[in-house]
Amino acid sequence: MSLRLGIDVGGTFTDFVVIDENSGRLLREKCLTTPADPVLGIMNGVRKMIAEGLFDARDIGGIAHATTLVTNTLIERKGSLTGLLCTEGFRDLLEVGSDMRYDMYDLGIIFPEPLVTRAHRLGITERLAADGSVLTAPDENEIISKVRTLLADGVCSIAVCFLHSYRNPEHERFVLAVIGREFPDVEVSISSVVAPEIREYERTVTVAANAYVKPIARTYLKRLEAAFKDIDCNAPILVMLSNGGMTTPATAAEVPIRLLESGPAAGVLSACHAGARINAPDLIAFDMGGTTAKACFIDAGRPAFTGMFEAARVKRQFRGSGLPLKVPSVEMIEIGAGGGSIARIDGTGLLKVGPDSAGASPGPACYGRGGKHATVTDADLILGYLEPRYFLGGDMALDLAAAHTAIASLAALAGLTPTQAAAGIAEVVNQNMATAVRIHAAERGKDYRKYAMFAFGGAGPVHAYEVARILGLSTVICPPGAGTNSAFGLLVAPVAVDLSRSYNALVAALDWDHLNSLLEQMEQEACTMLRDASITEPSLQRFADMRFDGQGFEILVNMPAGRLGPSSASAMRDAFHAEYKKIYDAVPGDFPIEALTWRLRAAGPACAIGTLHPVVPPVAAARPPRAVYFPEVGATLQAVVVDRYAMQPGDHVTGPAVIEERESTVIVGPRGSATIDADLHLIITITQPSSMAGDLA
């Protein structure tokens, strides 16, 4: 049982990576996702590899899994009918929100619909003071009565969120116990477990979202475990969390909202792993798949983390237009469209791409599965980036005529030729992604020009050269098997858990005994959770959300280890000032500092990966050059076409070039050249015009 299997279910494709820990043999596979039943797509891929004699199911010793199930459930609003029990008088909090307009000048502004309808939000007569002391205790009979009301309407999952329960979970735990005793078949989520943090609106949204996806996630994880047992595979399954850590299916099923960004987080960990091996500690991880494109800044080998993630935005580029979820996450920002994103002409006659996606079914028009709309993948095919006979190594031929028809229909609306329309789609996508990276870098006080871009996902290497060129970057790194990179990241990820507790006070007025008790409770809870995954001595890191007194937003700051006391205050202040200056370039003065939420990350060791020997297809016959459109010259050029599997360490290719492999295609423009390193990474160097070197526009 020396094999470890990584499975990443994306919106369009499901990716597989298998590593034999004894021999270093590495296998990759990619198949279409089955949105109606993702487990079916997973088992299709596994059975295909077994049928091809690549391994035996009984040889699998461990399975690591990431899924878009939670994300898609929220976006598509296909979750369970959910109820909310809240403090009496707060049932309208989900509509009131934060009372902030994400677009000040949009008179017809639209906010996301609450996941729980008003009829299913019921108040409970209870109250805690801001310090957690009990003012009014809940009544058991009222709880039972209101739960019966919800169940009579068909509710099958209940969220509980009481005012100030992050300071004292007593009332929520009481409700949980009552429902568990009286209605044992009902799923219940309480905010003091899901998101025990200050800020009532965000906490309510988070626990409501958890309850909304919980029955579906629990059923999915149970079916996944059963499906592997059906093929005589009893290997333990670990599930990737949004924070880049792994957990057991049982733990994931209790708080499934923490799976929200599991796939992208795995890709970032793979980027960190590669950066360490090639001595590139500062990276922009660029993940472009079938549905979206995302980016993450990696500094000194560590990705950025956040305690808040916004899901299911009404307007993709507008922060505040989605559901604010208190979920510990690798900070992946959504920066654009994916390969399946649909292009259209809007009411003003402008070309727009996304956010709607053709997904895996029917997929882009060129998939030949009934899709009629022009997508990014169709444009890439028209522009010569993709070879219709070699998509997925030839397992899935693309329909060039269908792509041409879809693009031509769009082009006719704008008075363009099909090539012009396809070039416009690519240009919109690339410029949008570059702009989003610039904005995110400015918000974080980062100079994006010092980073190399690490491109992965099926469409990432196709668009990475042009996005990097627009940004003025000089280096792009494309890993082997880029289209299955997130599945590989699952196999290097540590088992980890992130916990948080809100205790807001000025640093100068902290109750140190209370704070130390809080931190010790988190450490004990984290260690207990990790023991279920056989981790006995985790590494522990502390953080705090801090701000100057009177500010409305916080920044994440590293905290000292050990027992804290009055002597720790100066170190905490210095750490806050250093982080503040890193982001804003200056510290306004030695003003009082407030801490709001305390965070703990507990992690086991990263999985060791030795020397790998990828199993690759036979080298194909030499391929003739083909016509490829390059935006940097605004014209079609003859590009050399190279089989990546024929390239050895030290090999060099000068652009314009197309480098093809089964899982992805790498585009190298006229100003670029590429070299293969010892780990088979393709390192692209871009010669930027001198005018671009200082461009921060």
Side-chain angles (χ1 to χ4, degrees):
M1 300 179 67
S2 61
L3 301 184
R4 291 200 295 128
L5 169 63
I7 306 169
D8 175 36
V9 179
T12 306
F13 288 99
T14 296
D15 303 329
F16 306 85
V17 170
V18 180
I19 292 177
D20 187 328
E21 294 182 316
N22 291 337
S23 68
R25 188 175 65 135
L26 184 148
L27 307 170
R28 298 186 179 95
E29 185 56 71
K30 200 175 184 73
C31 68
L32 283 170
T33 294
T34 49
D37 182 5
V39 174
L40 177 62
I42 291 172
M43 300 317 296
N44 285 343
V46 172
R47 287 192 175 97
K48 178 185 176 184
M49 289 188 285
I50 293 173
E52 292 173 351
L54 298 177
F55 59 84
D56 188 281
R58 286 168 290 189
D59 292 333
I60 300 174
I63 300 169
H65 178 49
T67 176
T68 57
L69 177 74
V70 173
T71 301
N72 292 342
T73 300
L74 291 178
I75 292 174
E76 297 168 6
R77 297 300 177 104
K78 294 182 178 179
S80 303
L81 189 61
T82 303
L84 172 67
L85 298 180
C86 58
T87 302
E88 185 65 60
F90 286 80
R91 69 185 299 204
D92 292 320
L93 187 62
L94 292 180
E95 265 97 8
V96 174
S98 61
D99 199 29
M100 296 282 286
R101 295 172 62 88
Y102 60 83
D103 187 348
M104 292 293 293
Y105 304 103
D106 183 356
L107 298 180
I109 192 168
I110 299 174
F111 290 94
E113 286 292 321
L115 295 172
V116 185
T117 64
R118 192 173 192 273
H120 295 145
R121 302 195 300 263
L122 304 180
I124 297 293
T125 305
E126 67 81 41
R127 196 60 180 262
L128 296 170
D131 63 358
S133 58
V134 176
L135 300 178
T136 303
D139 177 71
E140 180 174 325
N141 292 328
E142 182 187 16
I143 294 167
I144 294 172
S145 173
K146 292 193 172 178
V147 170
R148 282 178 176 157
T149 298
L150 293 174
L151 299 184
D153 280 350
V155 166
C156 62
S157 186
I158 296 175
V160 183
C161 188
F162 291 154
L163 195 66
H164 306 309
S165 61
Y166 64 89
R167 290 298 298 269
N168 181 356
E170 177 184 334
H171 289 181
E172 290 188 354
R173 289 175 179 172
F174 178 73
V175 172
L176 177 66
V178 170
I179 297 177
R181 184 186 71 237
E182 299 293 330
F183 312 97
D185 295 331
V186 178
E187 292 281 11
V188 185
S189 301
I190 61 175
S191 74
S192 51
V193 169
V194 176
E197 299 183 25
I198 195 170
R199 291 203 170 97
E200 211 66 25
Y201 169 60
E202 290 85 351
R203 187 157 56 90
T204 306
V205 172
T206 305
V207 72
N210 192 79
Y212 186 73
V213 303
K214 192 172 183 179
I216 292 173
R218 190 185 297 280
T219 300
Y220 169 79
L221 292 169
K222 284 183 177 179
R223 289 193 61 243
L224 182 66
E225 290 181 298
F228 274 99
K229 289 179 181 177
D230 287 344
I231 61 170
D232 293 328
C233 175
N234 295 307
I237 298 175
L238 291 177
V239 185
M240 170 64 74
L241 300 170
S242 298
N243 65 358
M246 307 294 291
T247 191
T248 62
T251 301
E254 285 301 316
V255 194
I257 198 64
R258 293 179 184 167
L259 306 181
L260 195 67
E261 286 289 277
S262 60
V268 171
L269 293 183
S270 179
C272 294
H273 174 79
R277 290 189 64 86
I278 63 178
N279 194 29
D282 298 327
L283 296 169
I284 298 174
F286 170 52
D287 177 8
M288 187 173 179
T291 307
T292 60
K294 298 175 183 290
C296 173
F297 281 95
I298 298 172
D299 291 285
R302 288 182 53 81
F305 289 95
T306 179
M308 177 72 73
F309 182 84
E310 191 170 88
R313 286 181 175 177
V314 175
K315 292 187 177 180
R316 176 174 287 167
Q317 299 296 339
F318 281 82
R319 181 188 297 175
S321 68
L323 301 172
L325 303 173
K326 286 188 168 294
V327 177
S329 303
V330 172
E331 191 174 40
M332 290 284 287
I333 58 160
E334 189 170 308
I335 63 171
S341 295
I342 296 171
R344 68 189 189 283
I345 304 296
D346 71 5
T348 65
L350 295 176
L351 177 64
K352 298 293 178 66
V353 183
D356 297 335
S357 174
S361 180
C366 62
Y367 282 11
R369 298 165 62 88
K372 302 298 182 185
H373 298 293
T375 68
V376 175
T377 299
D378 295 309
D380 289 345
L381 184 59
I382 295 294
L383 296 174
Y385 301 151
L386 305 178
E387 165 55 58
R389 294 166 299 179
Y390 192 66
F391 195 72
L392 279 186
D395 288 353
M396 181 179 172
L398 298 181
D399 189 336
L400 181 59
H404 194 278
T405 299
I407 295 290
S409 298
L410 182 74
L413 297 176
L416 302 171
T417 67
T419 299
Q420 287 173 330
I425 291 171
E427 184 71 8
V428 166
V429 168
N430 295 334
Q431 291 286 353
N432 284 349
M433 292 189 288
T435 298
V437 170
R438 286 175 175 139
I439 292 171
H440 184 66
E443 291 174 342
R444 297 297 182 272
K446 299 180 184 293
D447 182 355
Y448 57 80
R449 298 169 300 179
K450 77 170 188 174
Y451 294 83
M453 178 174 285
F454 186 88
F456 58 98
V462 176
H463 291 264
Y465 174 90
E466 182 61 17
V467 175
R469 187 189 68 81
I470 294 170
L471 289 170
L473 308 183
S474 60
T475 304
V476 176
I477 304 163
C478 299
T484 58
N485 188 68
S486 290
F488 177 79
L490 291 167
L491 301 180
V492 299
V495 178
V497 62
D498 283 89
L499 299 177
S500 61
R501 298 287 187 275
S502 283
Y503 165 44
N504 53 306
L506 294 177
V507 172
L510 282 169
D511 181 337
W512 298 102
D513 288 338
H514 175 70
L515 175 59
N516 284 308
S517 175
L518 200 70
L519 294 172
E520 289 167 6
Q521 289 173 17
M522 284 196 288
E523 289 181 8
Q524 291 171 4
E525 182 179 344
C527 290
T528 299
M529 295 171 70
L530 291 178
R531 273 196 294 272
D532 293 338
S534 302
I535 304 298
T536 56
E537 295 184 5
S539 63
L540 302 174
Q541 291 178 289
R542 295 172 175 174
F543 307 90
D545 294 343
M546 304 176 77
R547 65 189 182 188
F548 284 116
D549 187 25
Q551 288 184 324
F553 299 93
E554 305 82 51
I555 60 176
L556 190 67
V557 181
N558 280 290
M559 290 290 103
R563 188 170 180 82
L564 302 179
S567 61
S568 308
S570 59
M572 294 165 63
R573 180 199 62 208
D574 292 345
F576 171 74
H577 283 177
E579 195 65 30
Y580 196 96
K581 186 174 182 180
K582 186 187 302 181
I583 297 173
Y584 301 109
D585 197 46
V587 176
D590 194 12
F591 298 111
I593 299 168
E594 183 182 15
L596 280 80
T597 299
W598 304 84
R599 304 185 184 277
L600 175 75
R601 179 175 176 81
C607 295
I609 300 290
T611 301
L612 298 176
H613 308 287
V615 176
V616 299
V619 175
R623 296 167 187 162
R626 70 169 179 256
V628 178
Y629 178 84
F630 290 97
E632 62 193 290
V633 295
T636 298
L637 303 175
Q638 287 295 309
V640 298
V641 180
V642 181
D643 184 344
R644 183 162 180 173
Y645 301 121
M647 300 182 72
Q648 300 299 318
D651 285 358
H652 184 83
V653 176
T654 300
V658 178
I659 303 170
E660 295 177 334
E661 64 178 336
R662 188 176 185 278
E663 294 83 11
S664 187
T665 298
V666 181
I667 301 299
V668 183
R671 296 196 187 103
S673 61
T675 302
I676 291 284
D677 76 356
D679 286 338
L680 302 181
H681 295 99
L682 196 66
I683 313 296
I684 303 172
T685 301
I686 305 173
T687 303
Q688 295 284 2
S690 58
S691 61
M692 222 171 206
D695 179 19
L696 280 174

